[in-house]
CSV table of all heavy atoms in Angstrom, one decimal:
chain,number,residue,atom,x,y,z
K,1,SER,N,-9.5,9.9,-13.7
K,1,SER,CA,-9.3,10.1,-12.3
K,1,SER,C,-8.7,11.6,-12.2
K,1,SER,O,-8.2,12.3,-13.1
K,1,SER,CB,-8.3,9.3,-11.6
K,1,SER,OG,-7.1,9.4,-12.3
K,2,ARG,N,-8.8,12.2,-10.9
K,2,ARG,CA,-8.3,13.4,-10.6
K,2,ARG,C,-6.8,13.7,-11.0
K,2,ARG,O,-6.4,14.7,-11.5
K,2,ARG,CB,-8.5,13.7,-9.1
K,2,ARG,CG,-8.0,15.1,-8.6
K,2,ARG,CD,-8.4,15.3,-7.3
K,2,ARG,NE,-9.8,15.3,-7.0
K,2,ARG,CZ,-10.4,15.4,-5.8
K,2,ARG,NH1,-9.7,15.4,-4.7
K,2,ARG,NH2,-11.7,15.3,-5.8
K,3,ALA,N,-6.0,12.7,-10.9
K,3,ALA,CA,-4.6,12.9,-11.2
K,3,ALA,C,-4.3,13.0,-12.7
K,3,ALA,O,-3.2,13.4,-13.1
K,3,ALA,CB,-3.9,11.6,-10.8
K,4,THR,N,-5.3,12.9,-13.4
K,4,THR,CA,-5.1,13.0,-15.0
K,4,THR,C,-5.8,14.2,-15.5
K,4,THR,O,-5.8,14.7,-16.6
K,4,THR,CB,-5.8,11.9,-15.8
K,4,THR,OG1,-7.3,11.8,-15.5
K,4,THR,CG2,-5.2,10.5,-15.3
K,5,ASP,N,-6.5,15.1,-14.6
K,5,ASP,CA,-7.3,16.2,-14.8
K,5,ASP,C,-6.6,17.5,-14.3
K,5,ASP,O,-6.6,17.7,-13.2
K,5,ASP,CB,-8.7,16.1,-14.4
K,5,ASP,CG,-9.6,17.2,-15.0
K,5,ASP,OD1,-9.1,18.2,-15.4
K,5,ASP,OD2,-10.9,17.0,-14.8
K,6,GLU,N,-6.1,18.2,-15.3
K,6,GLU,CA,-5.3,19.4,-14.8
K,6,GLU,C,-6.3,20.4,-14.1
K,6,GLU,O,-5.8,21.2,-13.2
K,6,GLU,CB,-4.7,20.1,-16.1
K,6,GLU,CG,-3.6,19.4,-16.7
K,6,GLU,CD,-2.4,19.1,-15.6
K,6,GLU,OE1,-2.1,20.1,-14.9
K,6,GLU,OE2,-1.8,18.2,-15.9
K,7,LYS,N,-7.6,20.4,-14.4
K,7,LYS,CA,-8.4,21.4,-13.7
K,7,LYS,C,-8.9,20.9,-12.5
K,7,LYS,O,-9.5,21.7,-11.8
K,7,LYS,CB,-9.7,21.5,-14.7
K,7,LYS,CG,-9.6,22.2,-16.1
K,7,LYS,CD,-10.8,22.5,-16.8
K,7,LYS,CE,-11.6,21.2,-17.1
K,7,LYS,NZ,-12.8,21.5,-17.7
K,8,SER,N,-8.7,19.6,-12.1
K,8,SER,CA,-9.2,19.1,-10.8
K,8,SER,C,-8.2,18.8,-9.9
K,8,SER,O,-8.3,17.9,-9.0
K,8,SER,CB,-10.1,17.9,-11.1
K,8,SER,OG,-9.3,16.8,-11.5
K,9,GLY,N,-7.0,19.4,-9.9
K,9,GLY,CA,-6.0,19.3,-8.9
K,9,GLY,C,-4.9,18.2,-9.2
K,9,GLY,O,-4.4,17.7,-8.3
K,10,ALA,N,-4.6,18.0,-10.4
K,10,ALA,CA,-3.6,17.0,-10.8
K,10,ALA,C,-2.2,17.4,-10.1
K,10,ALA,O,-1.5,16.5,-9.6
K,10,ALA,CB,-3.4,16.8,-12.4
K,11,ASN,N,-1.9,18.6,-10.2
K,11,ASN,CA,-0.6,19.1,-9.6
K,11,ASN,C,-0.7,18.9,-8.0
K,11,ASN,O,0.4,18.6,-7.4
K,11,ASN,CB,-0.3,20.6,-9.9
K,11,ASN,CG,-0.1,20.7,-11.4
K,11,ASN,OD1,0.4,19.8,-12.0
K,11,ASN,ND2,-0.5,22.0,-12.0
K,12,PHE,N,-1.8,19.1,-7.4
K,12,PHE,CA,-2.0,19.0,-6.0
K,12,PHE,C,-1.7,17.5,-5.5
K,12,PHE,O,-1.2,17.3,-4.6
K,12,PHE,CB,-3.3,19.5,-5.5
K,12,PHE,CG,-3.5,19.8,-4.0
K,12,PHE,CD1,-3.0,20.8,-3.4
K,12,PHE,CD2,-4.0,18.8,-3.3
K,12,PHE,CE1,-3.1,21.1,-2.0
K,12,PHE,CE2,-4.2,19.0,-2.0
K,12,PHE,CZ,-3.7,20.1,-1.4
K,13,ILE,N,-2.2,16.6,-6.4
K,13,ILE,CA,-2.3,15.2,-5.9
K,13,ILE,C,-1.0,14.6,-6.3
K,13,ILE,O,-0.5,13.5,-5.6
K,13,ILE,CB,-3.4,14.4,-6.6
K,13,ILE,CG1,-3.6,13.0,-5.9
K,13,ILE,CG2,-3.2,14.2,-8.0
K,13,ILE,CD1,-4.7,12.3,-6.5
K,14,SER,N,-0.1,15.2,-7.1
K,14,SER,CA,1.1,14.7,-7.5
K,14,SER,C,2.0,14.2,-6.4
K,14,SER,O,2.7,13.2,-6.5
K,14,SER,CB,1.8,15.4,-8.6
K,14,SER,OG,2.2,16.7,-8.0
K,15,ARG,N,2.1,15.0,-5.4
K,15,ARG,CA,3.0,14.8,-4.3
K,15,ARG,C,2.6,13.4,-3.5
K,15,ARG,O,3.5,12.9,-2.8
K,15,ARG,CB,3.1,15.9,-3.3
K,15,ARG,CG,1.7,16.4,-2.7
K,15,ARG,CD,1.9,17.6,-2.0
K,15,ARG,NE,0.6,18.0,-1.4
K,15,ARG,CZ,0.0,17.6,-0.4
K,15,ARG,NH1,0.7,16.5,0.4
K,15,ARG,NH2,-1.0,18.1,0.1
K,16,LEU,N,1.5,13.0,-3.6
K,16,LEU,CA,1.0,11.8,-3.0
K,16,LEU,C,1.2,10.5,-3.8
K,16,LEU,O,1.0,9.4,-3.4
K,16,LEU,CB,-0.5,11.9,-2.5
K,16,LEU,CG,-0.7,13.0,-1.5
K,16,LEU,CD1,-2.3,13.2,-1.4
K,16,LEU,CD2,-0.2,12.5,-0.1
K,17,LEU,N,1.4,10.8,-5.1
K,17,LEU,CA,1.5,9.6,-6.1
K,17,LEU,C,2.8,9.1,-6.2
K,17,LEU,O,3.4,8.7,-7.3
K,17,LEU,CB,0.9,10.0,-7.4
K,17,LEU,CG,-0.5,10.4,-7.4
K,17,LEU,CD1,-0.8,11.0,-9.0
K,17,LEU,CD2,-1.4,9.3,-6.9
K,18,LYS,N,3.5,8.7,-5.0
K,18,LYS,CA,4.8,8.2,-4.9
K,18,LYS,C,4.6,6.8,-4.6
K,18,LYS,O,3.7,6.4,-4.0
K,18,LYS,CB,5.7,8.9,-4.0
K,18,LYS,CG,5.8,10.3,-4.2
K,18,LYS,CD,6.7,11.0,-3.0
K,18,LYS,CE,7.0,12.4,-3.2
K,18,LYS,NZ,7.6,13.0,-2.0
K,19,ASP,N,5.4,5.8,-5.3
K,19,ASP,CA,5.3,4.5,-5.1
K,19,ASP,C,5.4,3.9,-3.6
K,19,ASP,O,4.5,3.1,-3.2
K,19,ASP,CB,6.4,3.7,-5.9
K,19,ASP,CG,6.1,3.7,-7.4
K,19,ASP,OD1,5.0,4.1,-7.7
K,19,ASP,OD2,6.8,3.1,-8.1
K,20,ASP,N,6.1,4.6,-2.8
K,20,ASP,CA,6.1,4.1,-1.4
K,20,ASP,C,4.7,4.5,-0.7
K,20,ASP,O,4.2,3.7,0.1
K,20,ASP,CB,7.2,4.8,-0.6
K,20,ASP,CG,7.3,6.2,-0.6
K,20,ASP,OD1,6.7,6.9,-1.4
K,20,ASP,OD2,8.0,6.8,0.2
K,21,VAL,N,4.2,5.7,-1.0
K,21,VAL,CA,2.9,6.0,-0.5
K,21,VAL,C,1.8,5.0,-0.9
K,21,VAL,O,0.9,4.5,-0.2
K,21,VAL,CB,2.5,7.5,-0.8
K,21,VAL,CG1,1.1,7.8,-0.3
K,21,VAL,CG2,3.5,8.5,-0.2
K,22,LEU,N,1.8,4.8,-2.3
K,22,LEU,CA,0.8,3.9,-2.9
K,22,LEU,C,0.9,2.6,-2.4
K,22,LEU,O,-0.1,1.9,-2.2
K,22,LEU,CB,0.8,4.1,-4.4
K,22,LEU,CG,0.6,5.4,-5.0
K,22,LEU,CD1,0.8,5.4,-6.5
K,22,LEU,CD2,-0.6,6.1,-4.5
K,23,ALA,N,2.2,2.0,-2.1
K,23,ALA,CA,2.3,0.7,-1.7
K,23,ALA,C,1.8,0.5,-0.3
K,23,ALA,O,1.1,-0.3,0.0
K,23,ALA,CB,3.7,0.2,-1.7
K,24,ALA,N,2.0,1.6,0.6
K,24,ALA,CA,1.5,1.6,1.9
K,24,ALA,C,0.0,1.5,1.9
K,24,ALA,O,-0.6,0.8,2.8
K,24,ALA,CB,2.1,2.8,2.8
K,25,VAL,N,-0.6,2.3,1.1
K,25,VAL,CA,-2.0,2.3,1.1
K,25,VAL,C,-2.7,1.1,0.7
K,25,VAL,O,-3.7,0.6,1.3
K,25,VAL,CB,-2.5,3.5,0.1
K,25,VAL,CG1,-4.1,3.3,-0.2
K,25,VAL,CG2,-2.2,4.9,0.8
K,26,GLN,N,-1.9,0.3,-0.3
K,26,GLN,CA,-2.5,-0.9,-0.7
K,26,GLN,C,-2.4,-1.9,0.4
K,26,GLN,O,-3.4,-2.8,0.6
K,26,GLN,CB,-1.7,-1.5,-1.8
K,26,GLN,CG,-1.7,-0.7,-3.1
K,26,GLN,CD,-3.2,-0.6,-3.7
K,26,GLN,OE1,-4.0,-1.8,-3.6
K,26,GLN,NE2,-3.7,0.5,-3.9
K,27,GLU,N,-1.7,-1.8,1.5
K,27,GLU,CA,-1.7,-2.5,2.7
K,27,GLU,C,-2.8,-2.4,3.7
K,27,GLU,O,-3.1,-3.2,4.5
K,27,GLU,CB,-0.3,-2.4,3.4
K,27,GLU,CG,0.9,-2.8,2.7
K,27,GLU,CD,2.2,-2.8,3.6
K,27,GLU,OE1,2.1,-3.2,4.8
K,27,GLU,OE2,3.2,-2.3,3.1
K,28,LEU,N,-3.5,-1.3,3.3
K,28,LEU,CA,-4.8,-1.0,4.2
K,28,LEU,C,-5.9,-1.8,3.7
K,28,LEU,O,-7.0,-2.0,4.5
K,28,LEU,CB,-5.2,0.5,4.1
K,28,LEU,CG,-4.1,1.4,4.7
K,28,LEU,CD1,-4.7,2.9,4.5
K,28,LEU,CD2,-4.0,1.2,6.1
K,29,LYS,N,-5.8,-2.4,2.4
K,29,LYS,CA,-7.1,-3.1,1.9
K,29,LYS,C,-7.5,-4.3,2.7
K,29,LYS,O,-8.6,-4.4,3.1
K,29,LYS,CB,-6.7,-3.5,0.6
K,29,LYS,CG,-6.9,-2.5,-0.4
K,29,LYS,CD,-6.8,-2.9,-1.9
K,29,LYS,CE,-6.9,-1.8,-3.0
K,29,LYS,NZ,-6.9,-2.3,-4.3
K,30,PRO,N,-6.7,-5.1,3.2
K,30,PRO,CA,-7.2,-6.2,4.1
K,30,PRO,C,-7.6,-5.7,5.4
K,30,PRO,O,-8.6,-6.3,5.9
K,30,PRO,CB,-5.9,-7.1,4.3
K,30,PRO,CG,-4.7,-6.3,3.9
K,30,PRO,CD,-5.2,-5.3,2.8
K,31,LEU,N,-7.1,-4.5,5.9
K,31,LEU,CA,-7.6,-4.0,7.2
K,31,LEU,C,-9.1,-3.5,7.0
K,31,LEU,O,-9.9,-3.8,8.0
K,31,LEU,CB,-6.7,-3.0,7.6
K,31,LEU,CG,-5.2,-3.3,8.0
K,31,LEU,CD1,-4.5,-1.9,8.4
K,31,LEU,CD2,-5.2,-4.4,8.9
K,32,ALA,N,-9.3,-2.9,5.9
K,32,ALA,CA,-10.5,-2.5,5.6
K,32,ALA,C,-11.6,-3.6,5.4
K,32,ALA,O,-12.8,-3.6,6.0
K,32,ALA,CB,-10.8,-1.6,4.2
K,33,GLU,N,-11.1,-4.6,4.7
K,33,GLU,CA,-12.0,-5.8,4.4
K,33,GLU,C,-12.4,-6.5,5.8
K,33,GLU,O,-13.5,-6.8,6.1
K,33,GLU,CB,-11.3,-6.7,3.6
K,33,GLU,CG,-11.2,-6.2,2.2
K,33,GLU,CD,-10.3,-7.2,1.3
K,33,GLU,OE1,-10.0,-8.2,1.8
K,33,GLU,OE2,-10.1,-6.8,0.2
K,34,GLN,N,-11.3,-6.5,6.6
K,34,GLN,CA,-11.6,-7.2,8.0
K,34,GLN,C,-12.7,-6.4,8.8
K,34,GLN,O,-13.3,-6.9,9.6
K,34,GLN,CB,-10.4,-7.3,8.8
K,34,GLN,CG,-9.4,-8.3,8.3
K,34,GLN,CD,-8.1,-8.2,8.8
K,34,GLN,OE1,-7.8,-7.6,9.9
K,34,GLN,NE2,-7.0,-8.8,8.1
K,35,ALA,N,-12.6,-5.0,8.6
K,35,ALA,CA,-13.5,-4.1,9.3
K,35,ALA,C,-14.9,-4.1,8.6
K,35,ALA,O,-15.8,-3.5,9.1
K,35,ALA,CB,-13.0,-2.6,9.5
K,36,GLY,N,-15.0,-4.7,7.5
K,36,GLY,CA,-16.3,-4.7,6.7
K,36,GLY,C,-16.5,-3.4,6.1
K,36,GLY,O,-17.7,-2.9,5.9
K,37,LEU,N,-15.4,-2.6,5.8
K,37,LEU,CA,-15.6,-1.2,5.2
K,37,LEU,C,-14.8,-1.2,3.9
K,37,LEU,O,-13.9,-1.9,3.5
K,37,LEU,CB,-14.8,-0.2,6.1
K,37,LEU,CG,-15.4,-0.2,7.5
K,37,LEU,CD1,-14.5,0.7,8.3
K,37,LEU,CD2,-16.8,0.6,7.5
K,38,THR,N,-15.3,-0.3,3.0
K,38,THR,CA,-14.5,0.0,1.7
K,38,THR,C,-13.4,0.9,2.1
K,38,THR,O,-13.2,1.4,3.3
K,38,THR,CB,-15.4,0.8,0.8
K,38,THR,OG1,-15.7,2.0,1.2
K,38,THR,CG2,-16.6,0.1,0.3
K,39,MET,N,-12.3,1.0,1.2
K,39,MET,CA,-11.2,1.8,1.5
K,39,MET,C,-11.6,3.2,1.9
K,39,MET,O,-11.2,4.0,2.7
K,39,MET,CB,-10.3,1.8,0.4
K,39,MET,CG,-9.5,0.5,0.4
K,39,MET,SD,-8.2,0.4,1.6
K,39,MET,CE,-6.9,1.3,0.7
K,40,ALA,N,-12.6,3.8,1.1
K,40,ALA,CA,-13.1,5.1,1.2
K,40,ALA,C,-13.7,5.4,2.6
K,40,ALA,O,-13.5,6.3,3.3
K,40,ALA,CB,-14.0,5.6,0.1
K,41,GLN,N,-14.5,4.4,3.0
K,41,GLN,CA,-15.1,4.4,4.3
K,41,GLN,C,-14.2,4.3,5.4
K,41,GLN,O,-14.4,5.1,6.4
K,41,GLN,CB,-16.2,3.2,4.5
K,41,GLN,CG,-17.4,3.5,3.6
K,41,GLN,CD,-18.1,2.1,3.3
K,41,GLN,OE1,-17.8,1.1,4.1
K,41,GLN,NE2,-19.2,2.1,2.5
């Protein structure tokens, strides 16, 4: 993934890889499913 690749912005993404951010994003999964969308969509 991008977070493991120094050439592809690993330092840039690191500020988003906090547990509180990642936990909140996981809460979006059922909302995406209800809308018939993938998380990316």
Side-chain angles (χ1 to χ4, degrees):
S1 66
R2 181 172 297 175
T4 64
D5 189 342
E6 293 298 326
K7 293 190 299 180
S8 67
N11 292 332
F12 191 82
I13 194 177
S14 61
R15 60 187 174 80
L16 293 171
L17 297 179
K18 299 175 181 177
D19 281 354
D20 58 342
V21 176
L22 300 182
V25 169
Q26 292 303 307
E27 292 185 48
L28 296 178
K29 284 188 173 180
L31 301 181
E33 291 171 0
Q34 290 168 19
L37 302 170
T38 65
M39 288 282 281
Q41 290 162 8

